Tab-separated table of all heavy atoms in Angstrom:
chain	number	residue	atom	x	y	z
A	338	TRP	N	-38.481	45.454	28.433
A	338	TRP	CA	-37.040	45.750	28.508
A	338	TRP	C	-36.710	46.860	27.537
A	338	TRP	O	-37.156	46.818	26.380
A	338	TRP	CB	-36.206	44.512	28.168
A	338	TRP	CG	-34.738	44.745	28.423
A	338	TRP	CD1	-34.055	44.519	29.582
A	338	TRP	CD2	-33.788	45.298	27.507
A	338	TRP	NE1	-32.744	44.884	29.451
A	338	TRP	CE2	-32.547	45.383	28.181
A	338	TRP	CE3	-33.849	45.752	26.194
A	338	TRP	CZ2	-31.386	45.885	27.576
A	338	TRP	CZ3	-32.711	46.262	25.589
A	338	TRP	CH2	-31.497	46.311	26.283
A	339	PRO	N	-35.981	47.886	27.937
A	339	PRO	CA	-35.369	48.089	29.255
A	339	PRO	C	-36.249	48.875	30.220
A	339	PRO	O	-35.792	49.259	31.295
A	339	PRO	CB	-34.118	48.889	28.908
A	339	PRO	CG	-34.558	49.756	27.759
A	339	PRO	CD	-35.526	48.910	26.961
A	340	ARG	N	-37.510	49.127	29.854
A	340	ARG	CA	-38.407	49.941	30.679
A	340	ARG	C	-39.557	49.065	31.172
A	340	ARG	O	-40.522	48.842	30.459
A	340	ARG	CB	-38.948	51.114	29.864
A	340	ARG	CG	-37.898	52.148	29.489
A	340	ARG	CD	-37.625	53.050	30.660
A	340	ARG	NE	-36.614	54.067	30.387
A	340	ARG	CZ	-36.217	54.957	31.285
A	340	ARG	NH1	-36.746	54.935	32.491
A	340	ARG	NH2	-35.297	55.840	30.978
A	341	PRO	N	-39.497	48.566	32.423
A	341	PRO	CA	-40.546	47.668	32.927
A	341	PRO	C	-41.939	48.274	32.863
A	341	PRO	O	-42.922	47.547	32.677
A	341	PRO	CB	-40.117	47.401	34.377
A	341	PRO	CG	-38.642	47.636	34.389
A	341	PRO	CD	-38.399	48.742	33.396
A	342	GLU	N	-42.038	49.604	33.013
A	342	GLU	CA	-43.375	50.211	32.991
A	342	GLU	C	-44.077	50.018	31.652
A	342	GLU	O	-45.312	49.981	31.576
A	342	GLU	CB	-43.310	51.703	33.340
A	342	GLU	CG	-42.646	52.607	32.314
A	342	GLU	CD	-41.137	52.745	32.508
A	342	GLU	OE1	-40.572	51.996	33.333
A	342	GLU	OE2	-40.542	53.618	31.851
A	343	PHE	N	-43.292	49.861	30.580
A	343	PHE	CA	-43.908	49.649	29.277
A	343	PHE	C	-44.506	48.246	29.186
A	343	PHE	O	-45.569	48.043	28.601
A	343	PHE	CB	-42.898	49.887	28.155
A	343	PHE	CG	-43.524	49.950	26.782
A	343	PHE	CD1	-44.518	50.865	26.504
A	343	PHE	CD2	-43.136	49.081	25.783
A	343	PHE	CE1	-45.113	50.923	25.246
A	343	PHE	CE2	-43.714	49.123	24.523
A	343	PHE	CZ	-44.711	50.043	24.253
A	344	GLY	N	-43.839	47.273	29.789
A	344	GLY	CA	-44.399	45.926	29.834
A	344	GLY	C	-45.694	45.879	30.624
A	344	GLY	O	-46.670	45.244	30.203
A	345	ASP	N	-45.720	46.580	31.767
A	345	ASP	CA	-46.944	46.630	32.558
A	345	ASP	C	-48.070	47.305	31.779
A	345	ASP	O	-49.225	46.871	31.831
A	345	ASP	CB	-46.694	47.389	33.864
A	345	ASP	CG	-45.760	46.648	34.810
A	345	ASP	OD1	-45.649	45.411	34.696
A	345	ASP	OD2	-45.140	47.317	35.657
A	346	TYR	N	-47.736	48.374	31.073
A	346	TYR	CA	-48.713	49.116	30.274
A	346	TYR	C	-49.314	48.226	29.193
A	346	TYR	O	-50.542	48.153	29.039
A	346	TYR	CB	-48.005	50.322	29.665
A	346	TYR	CG	-48.826	51.209	28.752
A	346	TYR	CD1	-49.487	52.323	29.251
A	346	TYR	CD2	-48.896	50.962	27.380
A	346	TYR	CE1	-50.211	53.162	28.409
A	346	TYR	CE2	-49.620	51.797	26.540
A	346	TYR	CZ	-50.275	52.891	27.056
A	346	TYR	OH	-50.995	53.705	26.222
A	347	MET	N	-48.468	47.525	28.455
A	347	MET	CA	-48.972	46.690	27.372
A	347	MET	C	-49.768	45.496	27.884
A	347	MET	O	-50.658	44.986	27.192
A	347	MET	CB	-47.825	46.228	26.476
A	347	MET	CG	-47.154	47.352	25.692
A	347	MET	SD	-48.309	48.363	24.723
A	347	MET	CE	-49.005	47.127	23.612
A	348	ALA	N	-49.487	45.049	29.111
A	348	ALA	CA	-50.266	43.959	29.697
A	348	ALA	C	-51.709	44.380	29.952
A	348	ALA	O	-52.588	43.517	30.133
A	348	ALA	CB	-49.622	43.482	30.992
A	349	GLU	N	-51.982	45.678	29.945
A	349	GLU	CA	-53.350	46.183	30.098
A	349	GLU	C	-54.056	46.320	28.755
A	349	GLU	O	-55.233	46.700	28.711
A	349	GLU	CB	-53.320	47.535	30.811
A	349	GLU	CG	-52.749	47.477	32.214
A	349	GLU	CD	-52.533	48.851	32.822
A	349	GLU	OE1	-53.173	49.815	32.350
A	349	GLU	OE2	-51.717	48.961	33.751
A	350	CYS	N	-53.354	46.020	27.662
A	350	CYS	CA	-53.891	46.244	26.314
A	350	CYS	C	-54.006	44.945	25.527
A	350	CYS	O	-53.791	44.914	24.317
A	350	CYS	CB	-53.001	47.237	25.562
A	350	CYS	SG	-52.848	48.834	26.378
A	351	VAL	N	-54.316	43.856	26.237
A	351	VAL	CA	-54.481	42.554	25.588
A	351	VAL	C	-55.860	41.992	25.906
A	351	VAL	O	-56.528	42.429	26.847
A	351	VAL	CB	-53.397	41.548	26.030
A	351	VAL	CG1	-52.013	41.999	25.571
A	351	VAL	CG2	-53.426	41.342	27.545
A	352	GLU	N	-56.277	41.022	25.112
A	352	GLU	CA	-57.526	40.324	25.358
A	352	GLU	C	-57.286	38.821	25.210
A	352	GLU	O	-56.412	38.394	24.449
A	352	GLU	CB	-58.614	40.771	24.376
A	352	GLU	CG	-58.302	40.484	22.925
A	352	GLU	CD	-59.363	41.042	21.994
A	352	GLU	OE1	-60.260	41.770	22.467
A	352	GLU	OE2	-59.287	40.752	20.779
A	353	ARG	N	-58.084	38.046	25.938
A	353	ARG	CA	-57.925	36.592	25.883
A	353	ARG	C	-58.794	36.020	24.777
A	353	ARG	O	-59.986	36.314	24.684
A	353	ARG	CB	-58.282	35.939	27.225
A	353	ARG	CG	-58.011	34.433	27.239
A	353	ARG	CD	-58.061	33.880	28.633
A	353	ARG	NE	-57.016	34.407	29.499
A	353	ARG	CZ	-55.753	34.012	29.482
A	353	ARG	NH1	-55.359	33.072	28.619
A	353	ARG	NH2	-54.880	34.538	30.314
A	354	ARG	N	-58.177	35.213	23.922
A	354	ARG	CA	-58.892	34.465	22.889
A	354	ARG	C	-58.643	32.982	23.122
A	354	ARG	O	-57.930	32.609	24.065
A	354	ARG	CB	-58.423	34.901	21.501
A	354	ARG	CG	-58.618	36.388	21.218
A	354	ARG	CD	-58.097	36.783	19.853
A	354	ARG	NE	-58.067	38.235	19.690
A	354	ARG	CZ	-57.468	38.850	18.672
A	354	ARG	NH1	-56.854	38.129	17.718
A	354	ARG	NH2	-57.480	40.167	18.603
A	355	ALA	N	-59.204	32.160	22.267
A	355	ALA	CA	-59.128	30.711	22.490
A	355	ALA	C	-57.691	30.208	22.565
A	355	ALA	O	-57.395	29.275	23.316
A	355	ALA	CB	-59.886	29.982	21.378
A	356	ASP	N	-56.780	30.826	21.796
A	356	ASP	CA	-55.403	30.334	21.758
A	356	ASP	C	-54.447	31.115	22.646
A	356	ASP	O	-53.240	30.875	22.628
A	356	ASP	CB	-54.885	30.342	20.315
A	356	ASP	CG	-54.888	31.741	19.695
A	356	ASP	OD1	-55.525	32.653	20.280
A	356	ASP	OD2	-54.251	31.928	18.633
A	357	GLY	N	-54.944	32.070	23.438
A	357	GLY	CA	-54.064	32.829	24.315
A	357	GLY	C	-54.378	34.314	24.264
A	357	GLY	O	-55.443	34.736	23.821
A	358	LEU	N	-53.423	35.133	24.711
A	358	LEU	CA	-53.605	36.575	24.795
A	358	LEU	C	-53.121	37.258	23.518
A	358	LEU	O	-52.047	36.949	23.005
A	358	LEU	CB	-52.831	37.134	25.992
A	358	LEU	CG	-53.293	36.651	27.373
A	358	LEU	CD1	-52.290	37.068	28.438
A	358	LEU	CD2	-54.679	37.187	27.704
A	359	HIS	N	-53.925	38.197	23.034
A	359	HIS	CA	-53.586	38.975	21.844
A	359	HIS	C	-53.692	40.457	22.154
A	359	HIS	O	-54.542	40.890	22.941
A	359	HIS	CB	-54.552	38.656	20.689
A	359	HIS	CG	-54.386	37.305	20.111
A	359	HIS	ND1	-53.753	37.079	18.904
A	359	HIS	CD2	-54.764	36.075	20.574
A	359	HIS	CE1	-53.759	35.780	18.641
A	359	HIS	NE2	-54.367	35.153	19.636
A	360	LEU	N	-52.838	41.253	21.517
A	360	LEU	CA	-52.974	42.700	21.606
A	360	LEU	C	-54.307	43.115	21.011
A	360	LEU	O	-54.803	42.498	20.056
A	360	LEU	CB	-51.826	43.385	20.863
A	360	LEU	CG	-50.427	43.138	21.429
A	360	LEU	CD1	-49.369	43.715	20.493
A	360	LEU	CD2	-50.285	43.748	22.817
A	361	ARG	N	-54.877	44.177	21.546
A	361	ARG	CA	-56.197	44.625	21.098
A	361	ARG	C	-56.101	45.589	19.915
A	361	ARG	O	-57.107	46.170	19.509
A	361	ARG	CB	-56.937	45.260	22.273
A	361	ARG	CG	-57.173	44.257	23.398
A	361	ARG	CD	-57.682	44.927	24.634
A	361	ARG	NE	-59.072	45.343	24.483
A	361	ARG	CZ	-59.675	46.191	25.314
A	361	ARG	NH1	-58.988	46.733	26.315
A	361	ARG	NH2	-60.941	46.509	25.136
A	362	THR	N	-54.916	45.755	19.379
A	362	THR	CA	-54.708	46.533	18.157
A	362	THR	C	-54.031	45.633	17.134
A	362	THR	O	-53.048	44.954	17.458
A	362	THR	CB	-53.810	47.750	18.409
A	362	THR	OG1	-54.359	48.538	19.458
A	362	THR	CG2	-53.668	48.613	17.164
A	363	SER	N	-54.529	45.625	15.910
A	363	SER	CA	-53.890	44.861	14.850
A	363	SER	C	-52.514	45.427	14.554
A	363	SER	O	-52.340	46.642	14.400
A	363	SER	CB	-54.763	44.929	13.590
A	363	SER	OG	-54.015	44.681	12.430
A	364	ALA	N	-51.518	44.543	14.468
A	364	ALA	CA	-50.165	44.987	14.132
A	364	ALA	C	-50.130	45.660	12.766
A	364	ALA	O	-49.411	46.640	12.562
A	364	ALA	CB	-49.203	43.797	14.167
A	365	ALA	N	-50.925	45.155	11.830
A	365	ALA	CA	-50.960	45.760	10.493
A	365	ALA	C	-51.537	47.169	10.542
A	365	ALA	O	-51.035	48.087	9.879
A	365	ALA	CB	-51.781	44.887	9.549
A	366	ASP	N	-52.593	47.366	11.336
A	366	ASP	CA	-53.181	48.696	11.460
A	366	ASP	C	-52.203	49.658	12.133
A	366	ASP	O	-52.066	50.817	11.717
A	366	ASP	CB	-54.478	48.636	12.266
A	366	ASP	CG	-55.569	47.844	11.565
A	366	ASP	OD1	-55.458	47.622	10.347
A	366	ASP	OD2	-56.534	47.441	12.245
A	367	ALA	N	-51.526	49.193	13.185
A	367	ALA	CA	-50.544	50.039	13.870
A	367	ALA	C	-49.429	50.452	12.923
A	367	ALA	O	-48.960	51.603	12.948
A	367	ALA	CB	-49.975	49.303	15.083
A	368	ALA	N	-48.995	49.532	12.074
A	368	ALA	CA	-47.945	49.862	11.106
A	368	ALA	C	-48.426	50.911	10.102
A	368	ALA	O	-47.659	51.788	9.698
A	368	ALA	CB	-47.495	48.599	10.384
A	369	GLU	N	-49.689	50.837	9.697
A	369	GLU	CA	-50.245	51.843	8.790
A	369	GLU	C	-50.270	53.216	9.445
A	369	GLU	O	-49.954	54.235	8.820
A	369	GLU	CB	-51.655	51.443	8.350
A	369	GLU	CG	-51.696	50.296	7.373
A	369	GLU	CD	-51.049	50.640	6.043
A	369	GLU	OE1	-51.200	51.785	5.578
A	369	GLU	OE2	-50.373	49.764	5.479
A	370	ILE	N	-50.662	53.263	10.711
A	370	ILE	CA	-50.702	54.527	11.433
A	370	ILE	C	-49.306	55.132	11.512
A	370	ILE	O	-49.095	56.308	11.200
A	370	ILE	CB	-51.295	54.310	12.836
A	370	ILE	CG1	-52.775	53.948	12.733
A	370	ILE	CG2	-51.117	55.560	13.694
A	370	ILE	CD1	-53.384	53.441	14.028
A	371	ALA	N	-48.331	54.331	11.937
A	371	ALA	CA	-46.964	54.826	12.054
A	371	ALA	C	-46.370	55.159	10.691
A	371	ALA	O	-45.521	56.043	10.572
A	371	ALA	CB	-46.093	53.786	12.767
A	372	GLY	N	-46.820	54.459	9.654
A	372	GLY	CA	-46.312	54.727	8.311
A	372	GLY	C	-46.616	56.135	7.849
A	372	GLY	O	-45.797	56.766	7.163
């Protein structure tokens, strides 16, 4: 929301682990890059 294509895009960037789906990039690492 508000761009459905972004949701579809991010659904291609996850992996399944024992407890469910996780993004394949660490949020902490992404924050460092953007920082």
